[in-house]
Amino acid sequence: MLDLVNITKRYGTVKVLDGVSLSVAAGETVALVGESGSGKSTLLHLIAALDAPDAGLIQVNHIEITGMGERARAEYRRQDVALIFQQFNLIPSLDIAANIAFQARLAGRYDADWCAALAERLGLTEMLSRYPEQVSGGQAQRIAVARALAARPKLLLADEPTGNLDEATGDAVLAAMQELVEETGSTLLMVTHSTRLAPRLSRIVSLRAGRLSE
Ligand SMILES: Nc1ncnc2c1ncn2[C@@H]1O[C@H](COP(=O)(O)OP(=O)(O)OP(=O)(O)O)[C@@H](O)[C@H]1O
């Protein structure tokens, strides 16, 4: 469902990605590991079409996103892909319920029952009428997970989604996320530094010196 072919990306003179290829089947859950600065976030941004590679192809469900115009890219970002960022990017002026519903509404797939179920499973029910400034970092992270899953994305890209959580909470959030990803039939690509969490996914790929290995 996701195919990367020979992706190259440089920032100035630094080649961050140097011929990265990867094929991920629908429903797989993949851990993306690698040292700090190895290009993991860069790779997620390229797959989310937030940035473009210098060379190479990215296909999602056999549709090439690298050659798309701006409108098609925006439609792809709205409909097919969801990103959980390291900094959550919650919308300060919206309450938690509206934050969770946000991407699903944009995609035209808002489902109140599913949003309520996500809030319940991620332990957010008590805080739906609060605002982002009134929740903790760990809660904000769980809200970002709920928001990403609310739209039932085909492809879920997560940048260290449990990085701010203590071990027990991180484990619980990952377990809930995996169950929900399976229920929605999404494909998950998750950056993690955790050698404890990575093996829980179906596959681990490692980025090093611009190259990817299994
Ligand atoms: N917009 C940019 N302009 C210039 N250099 C950049 C830019 N974005 C990233 N880089 C550089 O590219 C390299 C890869 O960064 P990236 O954030 O993808 O790494 P990462 O593996 O996600 O790191 P971390 O685990 O620390 O989050 C780093 O050396 C970074 O400084």
Side-chain angles (χ1 to χ4, degrees), residues 11 16 35-42 86 193:
Y11 289 116
V16 177
E35 282 176 11
S36 183
S38 60
K40 304 180 298 296
S41 302
T42 300
Q86 270 172 348
H193 278 117

Side-chain angles (χ1 to χ4, degrees), residues 60-191:
V60 176
N61 283 332
H62 305 292
I63 295 168
E64 193 190 323
I65 60 163
T66 22
M68 281 178 175
E70 199 37 57
R71 270 178 76 151
R73 278 156 60 108
E75 184 66 9
Y76 162 73
R77 285 197 295 265
R78 238 187 338 261
Q79 292 295 338
D80 298 326
V81 69
L83 238 167
I84 302 171
F85 294 92
Q86 270 172 348
Q87 311 83 340
F88 329 128
N89 295 355
L90 300 182
I91 300 161
S93 59
L94 298 179
D95 69 15
I96 301 309
N99 264 284
I100 292 173
F102 188 79
Q103 195 172 358
R105 287 207 161 104
L106 273 185
R109 285 197 292 275
Y110 172 66
D111 173 344
D113 291 343
W114 175 235
C115 285
L118 284 169
E120 176 74 39
R121 300 266 285 275
L122 290 161
L124 299 167
T125 306
E126 306 303 312
M127 59 198 77
L128 290 175
S129 57
R130 285 197 222 161
Y131 284 81
E133 65 179 20
Q134 300 167 319
V135 302
S136 72
Q139 289 161 349
Q141 209 146 14
R142 286 183 275 141
I143 294 160
V145 171
R147 177 179 59 184
L149 286 164
R152 300 182 188 274
K154 292 193 190 94
L155 182 58
L156 178 59
L157 305 172
D159 205 342
E160 293 240 51
T162 58
N164 278 22
L165 306 177
D166 61 70
E167 213 169 83
T169 314
D171 283 11
V173 169
L174 181 62
M177 210 169 110
Q178 281 182 287
E179 271 177 40
L180 293 163
V181 159
E182 197 171 319
E183 275 171 42
T184 47
S186 298
T187 303
L188 172 66
L189 181 57
M190 180 178 106
V191 170

